[in-house]
């Protein structure tokens, strides 16, 4: 069995990563990597190493009821000193990274702007290549981008999956009078920037259910990263399945839809049609194994607009409702609240809703 990639996300949104060897516990792997997670007995008896398991398969022996009771276990809590990953896993810790990260805060890495292009009205796509060793991130997370010698810092979600050696891709909305926006309007490839990250609790969970994504404006960016990840993993799964058909009987015809990939409904909103972007990317992802359907809504439709009018939440329909789906929301606060209200009114469990809100300026801007 290959090593498993472990991600630990702390309350302050910072994260740490390491690899677990076959048979190694998550806590031991973290300690070997210099990540000092809370622990005491190391025997599954005290409960000090309790963490929320968010993604991935693992073995959890038979911890004492006092350390982890049945309802905690049912809610996804685990004891990291007893958790032996069986694949890549994500855990959330109920404390800040400063308690665990002996190496201090996430380093700021020098980087170069290698591409910049306007992809829609007031939206640019940039590619930033960071120096130093590869830093992995989860699809959906964000980073702080620093320009002008660190005097301007903004947070943006990565728009592709993490690939060693590849630039980090961001979609950024240009604002009138915004410091970062003004800098970007004059930026050309070769400009020096810095990257700090990754950060954030908004990331793709184990895709075991249909997925509904609701994106407002550049809130599409983290969805693209998630879809990119799904396309990559689905493509691998399809290759494996094709290899197996060399020796195994052919599946019945109706199994084809199951092999077609993860079902995703993507709802995208914008102020007007010329602010929409990403269609080429979505078609590429769709052709790479994700059973993706997307719909648009614009607040100010032009005379030739043929899709929905209004805010993106008007695209939420009872016909599409599946309470077992995972819902991912990213956009301005009002959009998040409206989508949450709709989902809650339709009895979608809050555990199935993952949201990232962004504001229009300062750190946290998109
Ligand atoms: Fe005591 Fe894990 S350290 S239960």
């Amino acid at each position: 069995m290959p090593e498993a990639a472990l991600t630990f996300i702390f309350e302050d949104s910072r994260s740490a990563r390491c690899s677990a060897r076959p048979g190694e516990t998550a806590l031991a792997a973290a300690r070997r990597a210099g990540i000092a997670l809370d622990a005491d007995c190391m025997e599954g008896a005290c409960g000090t190493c309790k963490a929320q398991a968010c993604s991935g398969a693992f073995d959890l022996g038979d911890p004492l009821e006092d350390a982890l009771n049945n309802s905690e276990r049912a809610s996804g809590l685990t004891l990291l000193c007893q958790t032996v990953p069986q694949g890549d896993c994500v855990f959330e810790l109920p404390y800040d990274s400063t308690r665990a990260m002996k190496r201090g805060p996430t380093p700021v890495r020098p980087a170069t702007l290698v591409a910049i292009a306007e992809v829609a009205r007031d939206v640019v796509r940039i590619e930033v290549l960071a120096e130093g060793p590869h830093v992995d991130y989860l699809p959906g997370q964000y980073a702080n981008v620093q320009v002008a010698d660190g005097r301007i810092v903004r947070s943006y979600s990565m728009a592709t999956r993490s690939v060693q050696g590849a630039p980090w891709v961001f979609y950024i909305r240009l604002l009138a009078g915004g410091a970062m926006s003004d800098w970007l309007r004059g930026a050309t490839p070769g400009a020096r920037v810095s990257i700090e990250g990754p950060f954030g609790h908004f990331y793709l969970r184990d895709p075991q259910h249909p997925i509904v994504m609701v994106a407002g404006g550049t809130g599409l960016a983290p969805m693209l990263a998630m879809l990119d990840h799904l396309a990559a993993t689905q493509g691998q799964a399809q290759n494996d399945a094709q290899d197996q058909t060399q020796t195994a009987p052919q599946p019945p015809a109706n199994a084809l839809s199951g092999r077609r990939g993860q079902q995703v409904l993507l709802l995208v909103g914008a102020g007007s049609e010329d602010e929409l972007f990403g269609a080429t990317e979505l078609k590429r992802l769709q052709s790479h194994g994700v059973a993706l359907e997307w719909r648009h809504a614009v607040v100010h439709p032009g005379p030739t607009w043929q899709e929905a009018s209004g805010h993106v939440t008007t695209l939420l329909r009872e016909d599409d409702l599946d309470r077992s789906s995972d819902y991912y929301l990213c956009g301005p606060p009002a959009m998040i609240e409206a989508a949450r209200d709709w989902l809650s009114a339709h009895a979608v469990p809050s555990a199935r809703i993952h949201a990232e809100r962004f504001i229009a300026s300062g750190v946290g801007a998109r």
Side-chain angles (χ1 to χ4, degrees), residues 3-366:
E3 292 195 344
L6 307 187
T7 303
F8 302 99
I9 302 180
F10 299 91
E11 266 198 345
D12 54 2
S13 287
R14 294 177 185 271
S15 49
R17 289 172 176 76
C18 67
S19 298
R21 295 167 178 156
E24 189 176 35
T25 67
L27 188 66
R31 288 192 163 184
R32 188 166 52 79
I35 305 165
L37 302 178
D38 282 4
D40 189 358
C41 71
M42 304 296 287
E43 295 178 347
C46 70
T48 308
C49 64
K50 206 173 289 178
Q52 183 73 42
C54 302
S55 175
F58 56 85
D59 285 340
L60 172 63
D62 196 15
L64 293 179
E65 172 81 6
D66 279 355
L68 187 73
N69 64 41
N70 286 337
S71 71
E72 289 176 318
R73 197 164 175 166
S75 70
L77 287 168
T78 190
L79 299 177
L80 294 177
C81 73
Q82 303 299 301
T83 296
V84 179
Q86 300 300 306
D88 297 351
C89 291
V90 179
F91 303 101
E92 292 189 357
L93 290 309
Y95 47 87
D96 282 0
S97 61
T98 47
R99 223 155 92 189
M101 307 286 276
K102 288 178 178 168
R103 289 169 294 187
T106 308
V108 177
R109 295 186 300 146
T112 303
L113 179 72
V114 293
I116 179 167
E118 189 163 5
V119 294
R121 182 163 67 86
D122 294 333
V123 178
V124 293
R125 178 186 190 275
I126 67 169
E127 296 182 15
V128 174
L129 192 59
E131 297 171 11
H134 174 65
V135 173
D136 210 359
Y137 59 82
L138 298 171
Q141 287 194 297
Y142 69 89
N144 290 338
V145 177
Q146 303 184 1
V147 302
D149 294 326
R151 294 191 303 278
I152 303 170
V153 183
R154 300 288 184 271
S155 304
Y156 303 111
S157 301
M158 283 69 84
T160 59
R161 70 194 160 92
S162 177
V163 177
Q164 185 151 14
W168 291 21
V169 177
F170 305 95
Y171 288 90
I172 301 175
R173 181 165 175 74
L174 299 179
L175 305 169
M180 176 63 90
S181 300
D182 287 346
W183 187 90
L184 285 167
R185 287 188 181 97
T188 54
R192 300 295 292 165
V193 301
S194 302
I195 285 188
E196 181 189 22
F199 302 107
H201 292 83
F202 186 69
Y203 59 89
L204 183 69
R205 269 59 176 182
D206 270 349
Q208 296 174 346
H209 307 278
I211 292 171
V212 178
M213 298 173 167
V214 184
T218 50
L220 178 60
M223 312 306 192
L224 290 174
M226 294 181 191
L227 292 166
D228 191 26
H229 173 86
L230 289 174
T233 51
Q234 190 62 46
Q236 184 58 51
Q238 287 187 341
N239 288 341
D240 292 347
Q242 281 166 6
D243 289 345
Q244 285 175 11
T245 60
Q246 306 300 317
T247 53
Q250 291 293 314
N254 64 3
L256 186 62
S257 60
R259 285 174 48 194
R260 208 183 137 218
Q262 181 68 37
Q263 287 187 5
V264 182
L265 173 61
L266 170 64
L267 310 178
V268 181
S272 58
E273 188 176 351
D274 59 0
E275 294 175 11
L276 293 170
F277 62 93
T280 304
E281 188 61 7
L282 291 173
K283 284 176 189 158
R284 183 189 73 78
L285 293 164
Q286 192 180 42
S287 71
H288 280 69
V290 183
L292 172 65
E293 177 186 346
W294 67 89
R295 300 171 193 161
H296 292 119
V298 298
V299 179
H300 306 293
T304 59
W305 180 248
Q306 299 196 339
E307 295 189 60
S309 302
H311 293 285
V312 63
T313 44
T314 63
L315 296 172
L316 286 166
R317 294 173 191 149
E318 290 196 33
D319 289 352
D320 301 318
L321 188 65
D322 179 345
R323 289 177 184 82
S324 72
S325 293
D326 287 318
Y327 289 82
Y328 293 88
L329 321 174
C330 186
M335 185 213 90
I336 301 290
E337 293 317 311
R340 271 194 190 282
D341 288 348
W342 191 93
L343 294 170
S344 146
H346 289 80
V348 174
S350 60
R352 291 254 171 251
I353 305 171
H354 312 284
E356 175 101 303
R357 71 188 66 209
F358 57 75
I359 54 176
S361 65
V363 172
R366 301 290 201 279

